[in-house]
């Protein structure tokens, strides 16, 4: 099992550019999540999905979009990148409901917007 | 509002015991998780408490008191490799999914020789 994989590992964007962060999991988890982590801070939930075709906003969704067409993939789209989106982005997955206390994280994408 | 409070930094020596506290105030509560994150790495799951009491997993133990909205992570026989950030996270019903975690800001543990 590869677990949760994310690409790219690093990216530098100019203000106003767009990009998609890729996330794939091979554990057949229904639940998937996108977080951002700013330096010295905890993780903030951007979007989450409880299954293919179902997504919902987390705490900090502005400036982002997601889709979930398959169980395995959960891409995060940044439109019109802004310096405030400079952060480390983690994708995670978990079993449903009661099992969601244990989330499996990908290695992260370090994004800089200049 | 939702908030989790934990100390920002803790320092201890190799072989010692350290306790990292977490107090929380959230609209819903299903349980308290703990995650470890080494510098530059991804968070990894350590333990979970849904009910009051102590859960032990090797050198690590976690405690929960729901009536006090309080929990802690206890690390025994500290090793240099335990130097990392530790996050408490409440499993909440945010958005109605019963699956979302709200994370604290983390406690940076430094283990000295």
């Amino acid at each position: 099992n590869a677990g949760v994989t994310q690409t790219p590992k690093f990216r530098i964007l100019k203000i106003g550019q767009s990009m998609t962060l890729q996330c794939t999991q091979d554990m057949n988890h229904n639940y998937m999540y996108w977080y951002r982590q700013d330096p010295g801070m905890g993780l903030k939930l951007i979007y989450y999905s409880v299954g293919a075709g179902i997504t919902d906003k987390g705490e900090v969704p502005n400036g982002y979009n997601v889709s979930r067409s398959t169980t395995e993939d959960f891409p995060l789209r940044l439109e019109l990148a802004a310096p405030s989106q400079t952060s480390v982005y983690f994708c995670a997955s978990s079993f449903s409901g009661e099992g969601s206390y244990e989330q499996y994280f990908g290695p992260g994408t370090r994004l800089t917007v200049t | 509002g939702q908030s989790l409070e934990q100390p920002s930094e803790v320092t201890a020596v190799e072989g010692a015991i350290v306790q990292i506290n977490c107090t929380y105030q959230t609209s819903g509560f299903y349980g308290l998780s703990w995650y470890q994150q080494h510098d530059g790495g991804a968070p990894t799951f350590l333990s979970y408490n849904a009910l009051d009491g102590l859960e032990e997993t090797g050198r690590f133990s976690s405690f929960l008191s729901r009536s006090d909205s309080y929990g802690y992570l206890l690390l025994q026989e500290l090793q240099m490799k335990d130097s990392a950030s530790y996050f408490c996270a409440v499993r909440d019903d945010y958005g109605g999914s019963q699956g979302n975690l709200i994370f604290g800001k983390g406690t940076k543990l430094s283990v000295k020789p």
Side-chain angles (χ1 to χ4, degrees):
Chain A
N1 276 356
V4 180
T5 57
Q6 292 183 238
T7 57
K9 287 187 168 54
F10 303 92
R11 183 72 187 268
I12 299 174
L13 280 182
K14 293 190 185 305
I15 294 171
Q17 287 185 322
S18 301
M19 74 166 295
T20 298
L21 282 67
Q22 302 292 346
C23 175
T24 300
Q25 54 92 9
D26 63 359
M27 296 174 280
N28 202 31
H29 287 161
N30 281 329
Y31 284 23
M32 294 189 75
Y33 316 83
W34 273 106
Y35 293 93
R36 61 176 287 171
Q37 185 177 34
D38 298 326
M41 301 292 283
L43 295 135
K44 292 196 179 295
L45 184 65
I46 304 171
Y47 270 94
Y48 66 96
S49 169
V50 299
I54 306 169
T55 63
D56 208 344
K57 296 177 181 179
E59 184 182 359
V60 289
N62 290 347
Y64 308 94
N65 274 301
V66 294
S67 59
R68 182 102 181 266
S69 56
T70 67
T71 298
E72 295 78 19
D73 300 309
F74 190 39
L76 177 72
R77 178 85 177 158
L78 277 74
E79 304 281 1
L80 298 175
S84 61
Q85 293 178 304
T86 293
S87 191
V88 181
Y89 291 84
F90 289 102
C91 178
S93 70
S94 74
F95 291 108
S96 309
E98 284 290 321
S100 60
Y101 62 86
E102 181 175 1
Q103 296 185 8
Y104 296 78
F105 285 80
T109 295
R110 282 148 184 82
L111 176 68
T112 302
V113 182
T114 61
Chain B
Q2 323 240 54
S3 68
L4 286 84
E5 298 292 331
Q6 51 182 131
S8 57
E9 292 184 27
V10 172
T11 301
V13 296
E14 216 173 356
I17 299 172
V18 72
Q19 179 174 312
I20 299 173
N21 298 322
C22 174
T23 58
Y24 59 87
Q25 182 176 355
T26 57
S27 57
F29 181 85
Y30 292 99
L32 186 69
S33 293
W34 289 92
Y35 285 78
Q36 178 191 60
Q37 185 180 32
H38 287 99
D39 283 348
T44 56
F45 171 78
L46 288 177
S47 69
Y48 177 69
N49 296 70
L51 303 175
D52 287 357
L54 193 68
E55 294 282 341
E56 297 181 68
T57 310
R59 293 188 297 114
F60 294 0
S61 302
S62 58
F63 172 82
L64 176 65
S65 169
R66 295 175 68 125
S67 60
D68 295 323
S69 298
Y70 164 76
Y72 65 72
L73 179 69
L74 191 73
L75 296 82
Q76 302 181 71
E77 301 172 16
L78 281 174
Q79 301 175 8
M80 298 297 291
K81 67 178 181 179
D82 297 329
S83 292
S85 291
Y86 293 84
F87 295 88
C88 59
V90 166
R91 188 166 80 88
D92 195 1
D93 59 359
Y94 184 91
S97 82
Q98 299 185 23
N100 293 331
L101 294 179
I102 300 170
F103 284 82
K105 293 182 179 178
T107 298
K108 188 171 179 64
L109 171 64
S110 298
V111 180
K112 307 293 186 186

